[in-house]
Every structure is written in C-alpha cells, then in structure tokens.
Amino acid sequence: MAARNAKPAKSPLPHRKRAGPTDIHDPLVRQEAKKALIWFGVAGMIALVVVLSDPLMVVFGGMVFGALLDGGARLLRKVLPIGRVWRVAIVLLAAVGFSLWFLTYAGSQIALQAAALPETLLAQAMKALHWAERHRLITINTRMIQNLTEQAIAGVGQLTGVVGGLIGGATTIFLILVLGIYFAIDPQPYQRGLAWMLPRESRPFFDDMFTAMGHTMRRLLFGRIVGMVIEGVTIGLALSAYDVPLATLLGLIAGGLAFLPNIGAPISGLLMVLVGFSGGTNMGLYCIGVYVVVQGIDGNIIVPMVAKKTADLAPALVLAMQLVMGALFGIIGLALADPMLAMLKVLLEKLAERGGLADDAHAGDAEAVDSELSSVEA
C-alpha cells in the first residue's frame, strides 16, 4: 500500500529545462560568444564583398546611372506634371536622340581624327626625344628611343581608347543601364527592402541617410555634367578657332575626362599640347594658353561654385580613392571613385550626427537626474 502510494521520484532536471550542448549559462561567456559571432559575421561579410566585388561595382554603377536619370526626371517634374515613368522615358529618349545626332553629324569626323591621333602623338614624341638627344639631355640610341616611344604611345592609346574599352564591355554597360533604369523608375521598393533587413529602431536613420545620399549623388553628377559640357565645348571651339588639328576629338576627350577630377585635366591637356606643337611653335603655345585659361576658370570659378552646391570633397582624398579604385576595378572603378567617396562622406556625417544626438540625449538625462537629486536633498 505504501509502495503504491509513493510518488515517483522526479528527475533533478526536467526535460524541458535540461541544458542542451550549445547552451551557455555563464553570462560573461555568453556575452563574449556573442562578440565572437559578430566579429565572425563581419569577417564573413568582408570576404563576401571581396568575392563579389565586381558584381557589386556593377550594381553601384547602376545606382549612379539611376541617380542621373532621377535627377533629370526631377527637373522635368517642375515643367511637366506627369508620371515618373514617363519623365524617365523622356530623359532616356533625349539622351539616345542626342547620341544619335552627335554620331550622325560628327561621328565620321571623330573616327578619322581618332585614327590620326596616335600617328600625330608618335611624331611629336619622336621629335621631342631627338631634340633632347641633340642637346645632350639623354644619351640613348635610336632603337631605344623607338622602343620607349612605342611604349609611351601604347599607354596613351589605352587612355584615349577609354570609350572603345567601355563599348567593348557591352555586357557590363548593358547591366548598368538596365539596373539604372529600374532604380530610376521606382526606387522605393529597393529602399524599403534594405530598410526591412535592419532593426526597427535603425530604420528611420537609414531612410534619412538614404535620402541624403540620393540628394548628394544627384547634385554631384549634375556638377560633373556641367563641368564636362563647359570644358569640352570651350576647348573644342577655342582649338577650332585657331585651326588646330583634331580639335573636335580633343574637345570630346577633354569633356569626357572632366568626369575624372585631378586626373582627367592633365591627360587631356598633354594630348592637346602635343597635337598643338605638331602645327608649329605658335600653335603649341596657343594650346598651352587655352589649357591654362580653361583650367584656371574651371578650377577657380566653376568648380568652387559647383562644390558649394554638391559634395565638397578634398582633392587628396579624391585622388587617393581614384588610385585605389582604378587599381582594383580598372576604368569603371576610376569613374565611380568620386561618387563612392561622396556616399562614404554622407554615411560618416550621418553616423557622427547620430552619435552626437545620442550623447546630447544622455547628457540631458544626466542633467535631469541631477536636478531631481538636488530637489530631493533641498
């Protein structure tokens, strides 16, 4: 009877409360394990970014192109109160129409000038080397001069063949264009999707930062386009007025390279001066004068005015970013270095602003506690 009424012995640790092989009871060990997992996650993300660096650059290029289309659509909204899709379509049609018109009326001339440019540069380089040899500035034989000149012209040919290189990467350009069109037509789903992956308390900060990045990107690209048009048209007209050979091509190269601050201007200026001296000393001096005047106006008037309205980036940081991105991703990285640096600047500014607000809030709470303590003591 006693044995029948005896209660079964309970397990010292019920099954539902029994510790598993991955449970950590020590709070300190649990905290350190969380930190280790966070660091492993960061390292994994960095490794993933390195592996997927090329696709990520294509996506960022699509974002840049989308910001350019978005800027044009926003300008059209001031005069055409129509749907966003139609405004983006108008901007695309205008760009395609201008490209077709330009190729139709100037394409053959530019093709002929592009074919003649390497020969002109080779002749000028040989002339300069022979002059230096006559004045005993260098002591190398003719074969070495020929080899050095061919290597230099090959490098210049790579720089002047940027457009051809980009066209050769048709798949990359096509993907950037398609992504940019999708981003420009309706950017809200992508913004909401990125915000959804963040904690709830961080989503307002992300929305504010995303809006600021888009605003900065549009203004930066607008400034770059203004500088490209002004520099290319001015140099092309100034060289044509003096009948400088290859004036149209040199203006086009100067305008295209103006998108690359710090690097584009010296390259276009060197090409312009070399071509100018092929027509004589006076023409070469005139090309030097055109370069100095245009770059002086651009650097002292246009760039500061545009920088006040866009992202005012330090030239040394821009140059360093261009060198790094160019070494890693080639011409696409070089072209996207400036926008990426501007986005990083906005991110750091917003993080600093957020940290400052948090510090102010903590300081306000501390002051409130001190005032309450003082009132209690009184």
Side-chain angles (χ1 to χ4, degrees):
M1 184 71 178
R4 186 170 54 184
N5 293 333
K7 295 182 179 179
K10 293 184 178 179
S11 174
L13 186 61
H15 178 71
R16 66 176 182 272
K17 295 183 179 180
R18 189 175 301 166
T22 59
D23 290 336
I24 301 175
H25 291 286
D26 190 344
L28 181 60
V29 177
R30 187 184 300 115
Q31 183 179 3
E32 294 300 324
K34 288 181 179 179
K35 292 181 180 179
L37 288 176
I38 291 174
W39 281 110
F40 278 120
V42 171
M45 290 182 63
I46 293 175
L48 186 63
V49 168
V50 172
V51 173
L52 300 178
S53 57
D54 291 336
L56 290 176
M57 286 301 299
V58 173
V59 173
F60 184 72
M63 293 174 62
V64 173
F65 182 65
L68 188 62
L69 295 178
D70 181 54
R74 288 173 182 266
L75 289 176
L76 281 179
R77 185 176 58 184
K78 298 180 179 180
V79 295
L80 290 177
I82 57 179
R84 181 183 182 86
V85 177
W86 294 107
R87 286 184 275 117
V88 172
I90 291 174
V91 173
L92 286 172
L93 289 176
V96 173
F98 175 78
S99 300
L100 292 176
W101 173 83
F102 185 79
L103 292 176
T104 301
Y105 288 93
S108 59
Q109 182 181 2
I110 291 174
L112 293 175
Q113 293 183 2
L117 180 60
E119 184 179 354
T120 303
L121 295 178
L122 177 61
Q124 289 304 107
M126 290 295 297
K127 185 185 298 185
L129 290 174
H130 285 304
W131 178 88
E133 189 179 23
R134 286 197 306 270
H135 290 78
R136 296 182 180 179
L137 297 177
I138 56 175
T139 56
I140 55 178
N141 55 42
T142 306
R143 183 178 181 84
M144 294 180 65
I145 293 176
Q146 182 71 26
N147 292 335
L148 291 174
T149 304
E150 290 178 355
Q151 293 177 3
I153 297 305
V156 174
Q158 292 178 359
L159 292 174
T160 56
V162 166
V163 177
L166 291 177
I167 295 176
T171 303
T172 301
I173 299 301
F174 176 76
L175 290 175
I176 289 176
L177 294 178
V178 172
L179 287 173
I181 293 172
Y182 280 126
F183 290 150
I185 290 176
D186 190 8
Q188 294 301 321
Y190 311 103
Q191 181 177 352
R192 290 195 301 267
L194 291 175
W196 177 79
M197 293 187 293
L198 299 174
R200 291 181 181 272
E201 61 273 10
S202 300
R203 293 176 186 176
F205 167 75
F206 173 79
D207 291 335
D208 182 45
M209 182 188 67
F210 194 88
T211 302
M213 282 184 172
H215 182 74
T216 302
M217 180 78 76
R218 289 190 299 271
R219 288 182 172 271
L220 177 67
L221 295 176
F222 177 76
R224 289 289 179 266
I225 291 177
V226 170
M228 291 170 63
V229 172
I230 293 177
E231 190 165 336
V233 172
T234 303
I235 289 178
L237 293 177
L239 297 181
S240 298
Y242 201 81
D243 293 331
V244 177
L246 315 178
T248 304
L249 179 62
L250 291 174
L252 181 63
I253 292 175
L257 292 178
F259 189 82
L260 306 176
N262 303 327
I263 295 178
I267 296 174
S268 61
L270 176 62
L271 296 177
M272 182 171 61
V273 172
L274 287 176
V275 173
F277 276 104
S278 66
T281 304
N282 293 333
M283 184 177 291
L285 295 176
Y286 175 80
C287 290
I288 293 176
V290 170
Y291 174 76
V292 171
V293 171
V294 172
Q295 292 302 321
I297 295 175
D298 185 65
N300 297 315
I301 298 177
I302 298 175
V303 171
M305 290 177 59
V306 172
K308 291 180 180 179
K309 301 293 185 180
T310 61
D312 193 4
L313 303 174
L317 288 178
V318 175
L319 181 58
M321 191 70 172
Q322 288 174 337
L323 293 176
V324 173
M325 295 293 292
L328 292 176
F329 304 105
I331 185 62
I332 294 181
L334 188 64
L336 298 179
D338 203 17
M340 184 170 290
L341 182 60
M343 298 302 97
L344 291 175
K345 180 182 178 183
V346 173
L347 174 62
L348 295 176
E349 288 176 347
K350 289 298 180 181
L351 289 175
E353 181 181 348
R354 186 184 187 185
L357 292 175
D359 293 339
D360 293 340
H362 290 312
D365 294 339
E367 292 178 358
V369 171
D370 291 339
S371 61
E372 291 179 1
L373 291 175
S374 300
S375 61
V376 170
E377 291 176 357

